[in-house]
Amino acid sequence: MFSQHSLVMRPSRYLALACILLHLLLAAAMSSTGPKTCLIMVHSLLLVAHCSWWLWHYILLRSCWSLIALRWTPMGFGLELAGRRCCKAQLLPRSFISPYLMVLHFRVMGHSSWRPLILILAPDSGDSNQQRRLRVFARYQITTVHQSPAMNGP
């Protein structure tokens, strides 16, 4: 039997700060582009709406599609969503993995949506030991499972 590892997510202060700073920088860049006040107000409202959705979905983990726990074995990944739904998933090769930020893209098995589920992990998003194990396993999955036949040799 394969051992199963899991990572339970918690709200991240680093991601919240990065999200707010990014949106403030975008608002400042838009306000300096010209004198059209009506257009600036519409863009600012859209930025505030996007920032609040991003905070709600990815950082506070309150949306019904927010990933709150991740389980993995050598056989694959299991995702637990905020609505207490569980599903099997496949890690996509476009995922970004570094010690300071992980952006994992998952294709949900049996789900016909073209849009992948995305999990964003900062260093304070969960247990550091489990995050380290996840980084190693995800890198292994991306390099071995998603290799093209040309890379495998003749």
Side-chain angles (χ1 to χ4, degrees), residues 1 20 32 34 38 43 64 73 80 84-85 88-89 94 107-108 120 124 128 137 151 153:
M1 183 81 193
I20 292 170
S32 66
C38 180
H43 281 117
C64 65
T73 66
E80 184 177 337
R84 293 293 175 200
R85 293 176 292 191
K88 291 182 181 180
R94 65 176 168 231
R107 177 180 295 129
V108 178
I120 302 172
D124 66 340
S128 60
F137 182 73
M151 292 177 70

Side-chain angles (χ1 to χ4, degrees), residues 22-50:
L22 176 69
H23 284 84
L24 285 175
L25 285 173
L26 286 173
M30 280 192 309
S31 65
S32 66
T33 58
K36 304 222 184 239
T37 0
C38 180
L39 191 59
I40 290 172
M41 287 183 61
V42 168
H43 281 117
S44 297
L45 286 174
L46 287 172
L47 274 174
V48 167
H50 184 264

